[in-house]
Amino acid sequence: MEAQTYAADATDDGLFQLSRSEHAEAAEREYADYSYGREILNRFLANRGATVSIVIIALVVVVALIAPAVSPYTYYDTNSAQANLPPRVPGLEQIGICTGYRGGQDAYAMAGAKDDYHLFGTDNLGRDIWTRVWSGTRISLAIALVAVVVDVIVGVVYGLVSGYFGGKVDLVMQRITEVLSSIPQLVIVTLMIVVLKPGLGNIVIALFITGWIDMSRIVRAQVLKLKNQEFVLAARTLGVGSRDIIFHEILPNSLAQIIVTFMFSVPNAIFLEAFLAFVGLGIPAPTASLGVLINDGYKAATIFPYQVLIPVVVLALLMLGFNLFGDGLRDAIDPERS
């Protein structure tokens, strides 16, 4: 009796409300419209590091695409009279930053370029570093993306075939990957570059040789986990061919891991290309990537530190952006691992 009186009083006070059918229907409609992709996007955007990575990557890519096109200088024109000029930025020079002065003297006036502006300064040949940095960023991104796309295609197909068919096929294919992975990637890439000679296409080939191995292993692990699931067994029972099962059943359920691995592979490829260019195995002059610019600036780092500092900062921003993006995407797709 007392419990009934308490329940009635609580209802009268507004602490409890009776459930109505329209409430349940509204909740069902809300969940029906809330797709898995939307859930991933919401978790990704809720990650501050991921949102910052989008801004960083977008900013670097947009500037790399636009800056060389609107610059009055090219990446290859030399002017020995304007060699090693310090950065000079309109507007900032009025507040004492990037004024173009060196040792208390106007370096631009001494070089006969009083009306010129080089936002990142010039190198030892008088080439505009601003234009060369963003042109080099284009090349580094292009090399990395092409190499990684090829790696994904080869690695995904290799992993799907190895994991699905198993047995002797898997045994032979895995021994091949073990032999390749037992040799350090840097040794293989360096030897290939030496044999093929430095060049844009050859660098992509060298990066491709071993870059697909990690992707193939991840895809193979996903296939081994999925190929005995009920939906795959049902498809096989209904007479669906192996090719259709692989590409229509298993591959779509592995896309999350493939995308995450792809995003982590991009900064690795960028860094490896920059390292090869830094040690002198990059693309030939006058074309330059970020690694070539770092190598050139390193030679004069003690006298003109801006020549090496600027491409290093751009490279660091790219690495940071793609790594944060990959972390955010991994946590959004699989929040249990975060």
Side-chain angles (χ1 to χ4, degrees):
M1 186 67 180
E2 292 179 358
Q4 294 177 355
T5 303
Y6 176 75
D9 292 341
T11 304
D12 294 340
D13 293 339
L15 296 178
F16 301 99
Q17 293 182 357
L18 296 176
S19 176
R20 297 191 297 273
S21 60
E22 54 267 25
H23 289 167
E25 293 175 358
E28 291 177 1
R29 287 196 300 271
E30 181 179 355
Y31 283 111
D33 295 337
Y34 201 70
S35 64
Y36 176 66
R38 176 67 179 276
E39 184 179 356
I40 291 177
L41 179 61
N42 290 339
R43 284 200 296 261
F44 181 82
L45 295 178
N47 188 324
R48 292 184 179 179
T51 54
V52 169
S53 71
I54 295 177
V55 175
I56 294 174
I57 295 172
L59 183 62
V60 172
V61 171
V62 168
V63 176
L65 293 176
I66 296 176
V70 300
S71 175
Y73 310 101
T74 64
Y75 68 86
Y76 53 83
D77 285 337
T78 61
N79 187 348
S80 58
Q82 298 184 14
N84 299 318
L85 292 179
R88 185 185 184 192
V89 181
L92 293 181
E93 62 178 344
Q94 305 300 328
I95 58 176
I97 302 175
C98 297
T99 60
Y101 277 71
R102 182 169 55 235
Q105 296 180 336
D106 189 347
Y108 283 75
M110 296 174 61
K114 189 173 183 180
D115 296 329
D116 293 343
Y117 287 91
H118 295 280
L119 304 184
F120 288 168
T122 61
D123 61 11
N124 61 334
L125 296 178
R127 295 173 295 191
D128 182 64
I129 295 179
W130 165 269
T131 307
R132 286 179 62 77
V133 163
W134 297 118
S135 297
T137 303
R138 284 182 179 182
I139 294 173
S140 293
L141 286 172
I143 291 174
L145 289 177
V146 170
V148 170
V149 167
V150 174
D151 291 346
V152 168
I153 295 174
V154 175
V156 168
V157 173
Y158 197 95
L160 287 172
V161 173
S162 177
Y164 182 79
F165 291 102
K168 294 182 179 180
V169 174
D170 182 52
L171 181 65
V172 172
M173 296 179 73
Q174 290 309 302
R175 297 299 80 76
I176 294 174
T177 59
E178 288 177 3
V179 170
L180 290 176
S181 61
S182 63
I183 306 173
Q185 184 186 39
L186 186 58
V187 174
I188 296 178
V189 171
T190 303
L191 290 176
M192 289 301 300
I193 290 293
V194 171
V195 172
L196 296 174
K197 305 302 180 184
L200 187 61
N202 295 336
I203 290 177
V204 173
I205 294 174
L207 292 173
F208 151 75
I209 290 176
T210 58
W212 55 270
I213 294 178
D214 289 339
M215 177 65 74
S216 69
R217 287 175 172 173
I218 291 174
V219 173
R220 175 178 176 270
Q222 289 295 113
V223 174
L224 292 176
K225 183 176 69 174
L226 295 172
K227 72 175 185 179
N228 292 323
Q229 296 290 327
E230 287 80 0
F231 65 93
V232 176
L233 297 176
R236 190 180 295 115
T237 302
L238 294 173
V240 179
S242 297
R243 185 182 64 180
D244 292 332
I245 291 176
I246 291 173
F247 291 103
H248 295 161
E249 302 293 341
I250 296 177
L251 180 59
N253 287 280
S254 305
L255 284 179
Q257 294 298 326
I258 293 173
I259 294 173
V260 171
T261 306
F262 172 83
M263 292 309 303
F264 279 116
S265 298
V266 173
N268 292 336
I270 292 175
F271 179 78
L272 185 57
E273 184 279 328
F275 174 78
L276 291 173
F278 180 75
V279 298
L281 298 175
I283 55 180
T287 311
S289 65
L290 289 176
V292 172
L293 293 171
I294 293 172
N295 185 32
D296 293 342
Y298 177 76
K299 299 173 183 176
T302 57
I303 305 174
F304 309 111
Y306 62 89
Q307 294 186 10
V308 66
L309 180 62
I310 292 171
V312 165
V313 170
V314 175
L315 178 62
L317 286 175
L318 277 176
M319 299 288 292
L320 177 65
F322 279 108
N323 278 297
L324 288 177
F325 192 95
D327 284 334
L329 190 61
R330 179 187 59 194
D331 295 342
I333 293 175
D334 190 4
E336 294 182 359
R337 295 182 58 181
S338 59

